Amino acid sequence: MKLPTSFLPLLLLLSSFSFSSSATKTDDFLNCLAKSSDSTTISKLVYTPANSTFDAALTYSINNLRFAQASTPKPLVIVTPTTESQVQNVIYCTKKTGLEMRIRSGGHSYEGFSYVSSLQFIVLDLRNINNVTLDLSTKTAWVDSGATTGELYYYISRATSAYGFPSGLWSNVGVGGILSGGGILTRRTMGEDLFWAIRGGGGGSFGVVVSWRVNLVPVPPIVTVFRVFRTLEEDMTNIFYKWQSVAPVFPNELDIRCNGQVILSNSSTRSDKKTMQMNFESLYLGPASEVLAIMRERLPELGLVREDLFEVSYIQAMVFFSQFPIQAPPEILLDKTISPRPAFKGSSDFFKEPMPIEGLLGLWDYMFQLPDNQAFLQYTPYGGRMNEISATALPFLYRAGYLYMFNFYAVTCPSREKFAEETARMDWVRTVDEYLTPYVTSNPRSAYVNYVNVWMGQNNPTGSTSYAQASQWGKRYFGVNFDKLVVLKTLADPFNLFRHEQSIPVFSSYSDM
Ligand SMILES: Cc1cc2nc3c(=O)[nH]c(=O)nc-3n(C[C@H](O)[C@H](O)[C@H](O)COP(=O)(O)OP(=O)(O)OC[C@H]3O[C@@H](n4cnc5c(N)ncnc54)[C@H](O)[C@@H]3O)c2cc1C
Ligand SMILES: *[C@@H]1O[C@H](CO)[C@@H](O)[C@H](O)[C@H]1NC(C)=O
Ligand SMILES: *[C@@H]1O[C@H](CO)[C@@H](O)[C@H](O)[C@H]1NC(C)=O
Ligand SMILES: *[C@@H]1O[C@H](CO)[C@@H](O)[C@H](O)[C@H]1NC(C)=O
């Protein structure tokens, strides 16, 4: 779940600018594409609603079903290029026809930014650009944006068991979005500033990243993993309370994250038989004996025993963290359809202080307001390698001084018949957000750009968006790095071709007066 701390991208695509304002923008776009690319090749990679396969091509990687409704705006065209030059042509033709473009890699945007727009739009879907090429002599891998983290982990493991790459959990998340942010440019030709911006400045603002070169990280032959569950009746609250301050200062080799939810249990003291349950989920880069020793000293309250621990290869640990059975063959990481896809609304925060017990109990009370298994709390500890990187080294700045990232989400009910329930769920998320205010960071209240949340504000659909307006979410995602991102955006993409609801705005002396 930690952000990649070491990577060198890649190739970016930009091109020159012009507009056409035709009523048949789809035809203009398709004609442009057929002219600029090999027309027989490209036509097999283009879907319009006239193709019977259009719906399947669209829903293929929609992760949040809240944006898979009949009422969700649909693209005019989906293009699934297989080469860089086709990507360039898509960008060129999008500009030429004045359509909006949404860039999609793994489709895991919390708010559907990669496949929804309120304006007429096309989807540039990178699913076919998904090679992972290892270069063990330099301990690097080239990974294309359309690959998933599961594919990245898998292909590294096929080449070597001595290295891994720390990206996220869940194998279906796209590399493009998770590593993100966009000429054909390499690190040298784009310059160090733009190279800085795309590694954390959020996807969809600076261009299309086609491929990333990542530094592999050494891993031991055997790692230890565990996932143990504790309920309220099993002292969960006190264990979690202590976790908050010890987890960020564990040795660098140890990561323990927590996930909370309401379950039904016969040992519950409540009449509705609900209880809160927290799972403590861990990766240790070393043997089980060392985990037990560290836990005895630092978090004995968890009561960890040897039977809780599994010594496995690094790739089996990745299988485990994608919520598959620990002995499942690693090929399961290549399956892009297997992970659950809920409809959900989420929000993120960072904590600098542990939440006091009363605060935790209040949060559990909110959790009890919903049925079991309908809301989820996710805690990702900071510290370790994260702390060794300065707040301005990359756009992502919540590092030293932060205890953990918190992310919660509720399952929602987006179908038209369930409108009241949907509203109630969304209200619940808002209420919990407000409840957390005194406990989380403030001025600005921080949030993680990979967990985008449109409630913080949005760019105007057309025309420019002022710096002040964009600061409402920009400063929450990027803090002091936001200003630099705006300057770099203004230089790199002055006409704001690469945009979405919360992309970095172009500084305009007009709207910013
Ligand atoms: C189930 C689940 C698990 C997750 N686990 C983790 C985790 O463990 N750690 C973590 O840090 N985050 C995690 N996330 C958040 C995840 O990192 C973001 O949702 C990320 O943006 C998804 O990337 P994607 O390519 O799948 O998404 P997409 O929806 O395809 O893209 C997300 C954004 O990036 C833009 N973008 C996509 N590709 C490119 C590209 N090639 N060039 C430029 N812009 C691009 C899109 O336009 C969009 O704005 C998780 C999310 C989900 C839903
Ligand atoms: C979509 O339909 C067009 C027109 O029939 C065809 O040329 C194209 O190959 C189809 N696209 C796909 C991906 O099958
Ligand atoms: C992916 O790898 C294959 C086989 O090596 C190669 O033919 C193809 O051009 C590569 N694709 C990209 C987009 O680099
Ligand atoms: C609770 O106990 C009953 C009776 O023993 C049993 O049938 C049921 O499965 C239990 N429920 C849970 C959630 O454990």
Side-chain angles (χ1 to χ4, degrees):
M1 182 76 175
K2 294 204 170 173
L3 284 170
T5 49
S6 52
F7 49 81
L8 317 160
L10 60 132
L11 295 162
L12 304 165
L13 300 167
L14 301 168
S15 74
S16 62
F17 201 79
S18 73
F19 269 125
S20 102
S21 55
S22 157
T24 58
K25 285 187 170 173
T26 300
D27 290 344
D28 287 354
F29 177 78
L30 294 176
N31 288 338
C32 172
L33 210 54
K35 253 187 270 169
S36 56
S37 315
D38 174 63
S39 59
T40 0
T41 313
I42 197 81
S43 83
K44 299 195 184 80
L45 305 171
V46 172
Y47 303 80
T48 70
N51 293 90
S52 59
T53 47
F54 177 82
D55 285 343
L58 179 63
T59 50
Y60 173 77
S61 66
I62 291 183
N63 176 259
N64 189 343
L65 298 185
R66 196 152 57 85
F67 304 105
Q69 304 304 306
S71 55
T72 309
K74 306 286 187 269
L76 299 174
V77 184
I78 302 166
V79 193
T80 58
T82 58
T83 66
E84 262 165 53
S85 67
Q86 290 167 351
V87 173
Q88 273 179 308
N89 293 339
V90 172
I91 296 170
Y92 168 79
C93 294
T94 307
K95 281 182 178 173
K96 197 158 183 270
T97 41
L99 286 164
E100 288 278 306
M101 176 174 67
R102 289 293 180 263
I103 310 160
R104 182 161 80 169
S105 288
H108 276 53
S109 168
Y110 267 38
E111 299 279 8
F113 287 176
S114 54
Y115 53 87
V116 185
S117 169
S118 62
L119 304 175
Q120 290 190 312
F121 70 111
I122 67 124
V123 169
L124 167 56
D125 188 315
L126 298 169
R127 72 182 67 170
N128 291 329
I129 302 187
N130 59 4
N131 282 354
V132 179
T133 312
L134 274 288
D135 179 358
L136 292 180
S137 66
T138 57
K139 302 180 181 62
T140 60
W142 274 102
V143 53
D144 293 342
S145 282
T148 59
T149 57
E151 289 172 323
L152 175 60
Y153 301 151
Y154 178 80
Y155 290 110
I156 294 173
S157 79
R158 294 300 90 172
T160 173
S161 57
Y163 291 90
F165 182 75
S167 192
L169 310 165
W170 294 95
S171 52
N172 288 347
V173 176
V175 163
I178 201 167
L179 297 193
S180 236
I184 288 197
L185 299 181
T186 62
R187 176 174 185 169
R188 189 144 28 104
T189 52
M190 86 179 79
E192 289 300 318
D193 277 341
L194 191 52
F195 183 64
W196 175 88
I198 61 172
R199 291 173 299 153
S205 286
F206 292 95
V208 179
V209 180
V210 176
S211 202
W212 307 78
R213 188 172 174 214
V214 299
N215 287 323
L216 302 179
V217 176
V219 294
I222 296 293
V223 302
T224 302
V225 299
F226 67 80
R227 184 183 292 124
V228 297
F229 299 85
R230 296 291 181 264
T231 60
L232 284 181
E233 296 74 30
E234 296 164 329
D235 205 27
M236 178 199 100
T237 304
N238 287 320
I239 301 169
F240 177 76
Y241 175 74
K242 185 165 175 194
W243 172 92
Q244 296 179 97
S245 46
V246 295
V249 292
F250 280 144
N252 281 8
E253 292 73 24
L254 180 64
D255 179 81
I256 303 183
R257 54 198 307 279
C258 302
N259 302 293
Q261 68 191 83
V262 166
I263 60 161
L264 298 179
S265 162
N266 280 338
S267 30
S268 168
T269 53
R270 295 168 56 101
S271 57
D272 60 11
K273 291 294 157 199
K274 284 178 179 170
T275 190
M276 270 294 290
Q277 181 187 68
M278 196 72 88
N279 86 49
F280 295 82
E281 188 180 65
S282 175
L283 172 66
Y284 180 71
L285 298 177
S289 56
E290 294 177 14
V291 178
L292 287 173
I294 297 169
M295 295 302 283
R296 261 197 301 272
E297 186 194 323
R298 312 258 188 125
L299 192 57
E301 295 82 354
L302 187 59
L304 202 69
V305 295
R306 179 63 184 84
E307 291 67 43
D308 294 326
L309 308 180
F310 302 94
E311 288 183 329
V312 292
S313 63
Y314 185 78
I315 191 65
Q316 288 308 136
M318 298 302 104
V319 169
F320 182 70
F321 292 122
S322 286
Q323 311 300 317
F324 301 124
I326 195 161
Q327 295 306 345
E331 283 71 24
I332 201 165
L333 297 175
L334 305 179
D335 188 327
K336 298 188 194 182
T337 60
I338 196 167
S339 294
R341 300 185 187 194
F344 66 95
K345 175 68 191 182
S347 181
S348 65
D349 273 297
F350 291 85
F351 281 75
K352 286 182 142 171
E353 305 285 340
M355 199 156 163
I357 296 278
E358 318 82 75
L360 293 174
L361 296 177
L363 181 55
W364 311 160
D365 282 343
Y366 279 107
M367 292 292 283
F368 285 127
Q369 290 179 359
L370 299 188
D372 58 300
N373 286 307
Q374 294 294 296
F376 300 87
L377 311 175
Q378 302 181 329
Y379 295 88
T380 306
Y382 277 54
R385 179 80 179 97
M386 303 282 288
N387 278 8
E388 297 164 18
I389 299 167
S390 83
T392 54
L394 289 168
F396 179 83
L397 77 164
Y398 303 114
R399 296 175 183 277
Y402 292 85
L403 296 178
Y404 56 84
M405 175 169 71
F406 172 67
N407 161 54
F408 77 99
Y409 65 93
V411 173
T412 68
C413 328
S415 70
R416 206 164 283 176
E417 308 78 60
K418 294 193 165 177
F419 183 76
E421 283 160 71
E422 173 78 348
T423 309
R425 288 291 165 90
M426 299 293 263
D427 287 348
W428 183 88
V429 174
R430 249 181 242 281
T431 308
V432 175
D433 245 350
E434 274 163 35
Y435 171 74
L436 291 169
T437 311
Y439 303 109
V440 299
T441 55
S442 53
N443 298 316
R445 182 171 176 174
S446 42
Y448 179 32
V449 70
N450 266 349
Y451 297 144
V452 282
N453 179 353
V454 291
W455 287 350
M456 294 182 230
Q458 301 187 47
N459 286 309
N460 299 325
T462 55
S464 56
T465 297
S466 72
Y467 167 81
Q469 184 176 335
S471 295
Q472 290 170 3
W473 62 93
K475 294 208 165 152
R476 291 183 61 176
Y477 293 145
F478 306 112
V480 293
N481 291 330
F482 180 59
D483 289 3
K484 183 171 169 185
L485 287 168
V486 174
V487 170
L488 295 173
K489 166 75 180 183
T490 307
L491 293 170
D493 183 23
F495 296 101
N496 203 21
L497 178 74
F498 300 104
R499 62 179 178 247
H500 55 67
E501 286 70 9
Q502 290 187 332
S503 54
I504 307 289
V506 172
F507 193 84
S508 136
S509 52
Y510 176 72
S511 60
D512 289 306
M513 273 191 305

